[in-house]
Structures are given as C-alpha cells and as structure tokens.
Amino acid sequence: GMCLEKLIQERLHIPTRLVLRAQDNPKWFRAREQVQLAFPSTRSWSFRYANGAEFNQARSQQKQWLLGIKQTVGALQYPTPNETIINDQWLTLLESQTSDCSNMQCLNDMLKLLNMTWHRSDRPMYGPRVETEATTSRTTPPNKTSDNEENVSSDVPFFSIPHVYADAFVSDDCLDILYDDLRAFFYLDENICYERPDPTETVLHLRNFLTEMPRRGLVLGYEELEPSQMAQKLFCGGSNFSIDAGLYQRNNNVSHSTQPHLAIVSRFDTHVRDYARALNDSGWQVRHIQQKKQRKGVHEGNADFCFLASAETEIVGLRISSYFQFAGILGNASLVRMYSVDSPQTRARHLNYYTYPFKHPELQRRFRFENVESVETAQS
C-alpha cells in the first residue's frame, strides 16, 4: 500500500491517501497488538477504516463501472498510439494488487490504467455512501472537485472511484523504492527488546513452518533445510559461505582461532536442539534464545524480532518468511542471507529459486539470496 501511494503521488500527481482494511480472525488481532507495541508510528492508525459497507459498495460500483467501460470501448487505449490492454486481466489491476501483480511491469500497467480512468469525465467522484456510526478515526477528505462532493462528510468513510486495493507484502520492486521510507517510518520501541546479540554473533531464524502447519506446510512449499543440511550447506562451506570466508573476512577483529558464535531464534522450540547439535558439530558455539522464559510482559515474537534487527554481523533465514525479511529490512545486520530450498515440493510451488537485482546501494550491499538443494533434489 505504501508503495502504491508513493508511485501514484510521484508519477501521476494524483492526491492519494492510504487507508487500512483488517482481517477478522483472532490471529490477526494478536498480530495488530504486537505491531502497535513494536512500532510507535502505527499506534494512531485506524486498522478497520475500510471494513464497513461503504468500501464493499465502492468496490462493487467500481467493478461495474470498469466493466461498462470495457463493454463500450472494448480495449482501453493508452495515451501513446497503438498501445492497448487487450485482455480481461486489466480489470483486476485496480481491484487487487496481490503478489501475482507485484513486479514493475504490472505496477506500471496499474498506473496507466489508473491515470486513464481517473481523468474520465464519467467517473463517479465517490462510491455509494452508507450512513453508519463512526467507530474509527476518520481522515479529512481531499479538496472538493465538483458540486457532487459538497456534502461529503468526514464522519463516514469515503472512497474514490477509481481506487486501488492492495493486499500483498512489499515486493522487491517496491522495496527498492521504499527502503529508506520503511526504515524511517517503522522505528522500534526499545521496550519490546530484551536480550541482544553479541557484536560478532551470527543469528539464525528458524521459522518452523512445519510445526505450525504439519499437514499443509510441505504441500505449500514452506520447507526449511534439515539440521545436517543447514550446518553443511549454509554454515560450513557447502554453499557460498564457509566459516572462514563467511564470518572471519567480514569481522576483522575476530581471530581465526576463535570459535564462531551463533544464536538461534524460533517461534517454536521444536527441533531447535537438533539444529544446535548439528551446528555445534560443525564448529559453532550455539545458544538458543528463549525470550518468553526470560522476561514477563514482553511478547516473545517482538523480542525475537528486536534480537534479529539488532544483529550487527549477519542474519540467516528463509526468504519466504516475511517476518525475517522485515527484520532484515529494518535491522542493522551487515549481511542478510535469505535462502530458498530447492526440493520437489518447492519446485511445484515455484519457490525453489529466487534472486533479485536490487538497485538501491544499501540493499545491494546487505541482501544476498542463496538457493540450496535439498537431499531429495541432490540425489535425484
């Protein structure tokens, strides 16, 4: 959402505001509470602004309006000659900016469509209004642009047509654009922190997807390396980094005779001992960070996030973990190693390989993608 807001304002010069639509399940409510505890800048947000009937009706009206344009015009004409959107996919560009439409080509198509529809003489200025009690904070509407908007009140949510609905985590294309903005906006409340890594300590994030989703995890491709594979391929020379080349060359103050230190953070304790044992056997001195047992009143998820974000040397974790990625974006680690597992399950979900050519110099310096074969793939 923040990425689209920035692109629309800077490239199209259309007045834009970002409003939120919340999920209705207990897990989401717990996540919102933790986010607001962690990031003071989010505490004034109205997370349910777009949860009412007003937004649902505005979406329905927008869809009907766009369908009417398509039936009348056939294919929308771009400002440049002979450039058209000739398939039905363009109808979804404003309705749902999901992970399926997160690359710059798709974002550029969305901007072109928004620019064309915004300036149409027949566009509705606002979606239909439903009189409801004001239960959340309201945003002052933009300057009135027609007599039809004179009676727009800030007491009831309002939504322009066209509007864009985004429901995906920040893509790498957007991260290149938003990196500095994200780091400035999402500053951590130090009260969520408890323990912090040593300055030369590597931090491993074990997501443990299969503990949370034992039946569906593998089918969805949420696969992590097994303990022995992790130790060999990510921390002992089997991949792009060995203990010598990986750790010591990045920390000139660490002696080659010093045993490297590694901390493990994980939402679940399951299998952590197995990883610690394998890494110890590879020459690492390992400790498991168990925040919940160390300090009452601090949520362990937030405390683990602070631990990851506070690492100075390097952090290692699954690329598909948005929790780990966000800690890397906002944190201090000189190297963020994001690995993907190449296995039959991840290949089926197209999660087995990933790389991205960041343009932002700090992202180029800090972020590194690694693609590692699983045991099954290596033996096939």
Side-chain angles (χ1 to χ4, degrees):
M2 295 175 71
C3 176
L4 296 176
E5 181 185 35
K6 187 181 181 78
L7 288 172
I8 292 167
Q9 290 185 145
E10 292 184 355
R11 297 190 185 181
L12 303 184
H13 307 291
I14 295 175
T16 308
R17 65 196 178 106
L18 177 65
V19 298
L20 304 179
R21 179 178 172 90
Q23 299 179 33
D24 287 311
N25 62 67
K27 181 178 179 180
W28 182 88
F29 285 109
R30 291 193 298 270
R32 181 192 63 182
E33 179 183 358
Q34 294 166 36
V35 165
Q36 291 186 302
L37 286 173
F39 305 110
S41 54
T42 66
R43 292 171 190 169
S44 63
W45 280 1
S46 172
F47 282 83
R48 300 183 63 82
Y49 187 94
N51 275 75
E54 300 88 356
F55 180 66
N56 294 333
Q57 291 197 21
R59 287 191 74 191
S60 177
Q61 183 173 345
Q62 173 167 290
K63 183 174 182 179
Q64 293 305 313
W65 179 61
L66 291 173
L67 283 171
I69 298 173
K70 181 175 183 290
Q71 291 169 0
T72 303
V73 181
L76 290 179
Q77 296 293 323
Y78 282 151
T80 53
N82 303 320
E83 196 174 13
T84 59
I85 301 175
I86 58 174
N87 56 49
D88 291 338
Q89 187 176 7
W90 68 270
L91 279 173
T92 67
L93 291 175
L94 302 184
E95 282 198 353
S96 184
Q97 286 293 302
T98 66
S99 56
D100 294 331
C101 182
S102 57
N103 58 68
M104 277 316 301
Q105 179 59 54
C106 195
L107 291 172
N108 286 333
D109 284 344
M110 182 276 298
L111 291 173
K112 291 176 181 177
L113 178 60
L114 179 60
N115 195 44
M116 288 185 292
T117 53
W118 183 265
H119 296 290
R120 286 181 63 92
S121 60
D122 63 342
R123 82 172 179 91
M125 291 304 178
Y126 288 95
R129 310 188 54 72
V130 178
E131 296 300 325
T132 58
E133 285 189 29
T135 57
T136 57
S137 61
R138 306 304 185 199
T139 305
T140 303
N143 294 331
K144 181 172 66 71
T145 58
S146 80
D147 292 338
N148 294 332
E149 299 178 38
E150 285 182 352
N151 296 321
V152 172
S153 166
S154 62
D155 293 336
V156 180
F158 64 93
F159 304 94
S160 65
I161 295 177
H163 56 262
V164 183
Y165 181 37
D167 59 355
F169 189 70
V170 61
S171 66
D172 286 331
D173 294 88
C174 281
L175 180 56
D176 247 339
I177 298 168
L178 273 186
Y179 179 73
D180 295 319
D181 299 301
L182 291 175
R183 288 179 62 86
F185 184 83
F186 289 101
Y187 57 92
L188 277 175
D189 186 331
E190 296 294 321
N191 290 320
I192 72 163
C193 304
Y194 182 66
E195 191 171 358
R196 296 178 189 268
D198 296 331
T200 59
E201 192 169 37
T202 294
V203 181
L204 168 65
H205 176 241
L206 288 178
R207 176 56 180 83
N208 259 322
F209 275 120
L210 299 187
T211 298
E212 182 181 3
M213 298 176 287
R215 294 182 178 180
R216 297 183 67 234
L218 272 180
V219 176
L220 294 173
Y222 295 164
E223 186 176 349
E224 292 177 89
L225 288 172
E226 295 292 329
S228 59
Q229 293 178 286
M230 176 83 71
Q232 178 187 4
K233 296 189 176 183
L234 287 182
F235 293 102
C236 198
S239 182
N240 299 329
F241 301 92
S242 65
I243 291 178
D244 285 339
L247 183 74
Y248 296 128
Q249 289 185 10
R250 289 192 291 275
N251 296 277
N252 296 326
N253 295 329
V254 179
S255 166
H256 280 260
S257 62
T258 303
Q259 188 177 23
H261 288 216
L262 185 144
I264 298 176
V265 295
S266 180
R267 179 181 175 187
F268 305 101
D269 292 345
T270 312
H271 306 306
V272 171
R273 287 186 179 180
D274 298 330
Y275 283 94
R277 186 180 300 111
L279 289 161
N280 270 317
D281 291 344
S282 296
W284 291 81
Q285 183 174 326
V286 181
R287 61 178 178 135
H288 177 201
I289 307 302
Q290 296 174 292
Q291 308 273 11
K292 181 167 59 175
K293 300 176 182 179
Q294 293 174 338
R295 183 181 179 186
K296 294 181 179 179
V298 174
H299 191 279
E300 63 270 25
N302 277 349
D304 282 349
F305 187 92
C306 178
F307 192 89
L308 280 165
S310 300
E312 297 180 27
T313 302
E314 70 179 23
I315 59 175
V316 184
L318 268 181
R319 184 193 68 83
I320 58 174
S321 168
S322 56
Y323 177 93
F324 174 76
Q325 182 183 2
F326 210 45
I329 293 169
L330 303 182
N332 302 319
S334 60
L335 184 60
V336 180
R337 298 172 58 193
M338 305 175 65
Y339 79 91
S340 300
V341 178
D342 182 2
S343 73
Q345 292 80 12
T346 59
R347 286 185 177 185
R349 305 292 295 191
H350 305 291
L351 297 172
N352 59 302
Y353 179 87
Y354 188 82
T355 188
Y356 184 83
F358 284 120
K359 298 179 180 64
H360 194 292
E362 194 164 325
L363 287 168
Q364 288 180 336
R365 176 179 61 83
R366 295 184 62 229
F367 276 67
R368 188 164 297 173
F369 298 102
E370 300 179 45
N371 302 287
V372 185
E373 286 186 339
S374 67
V375 170
E376 302 96 316
T377 306
Q379 292 177 349
S380 62

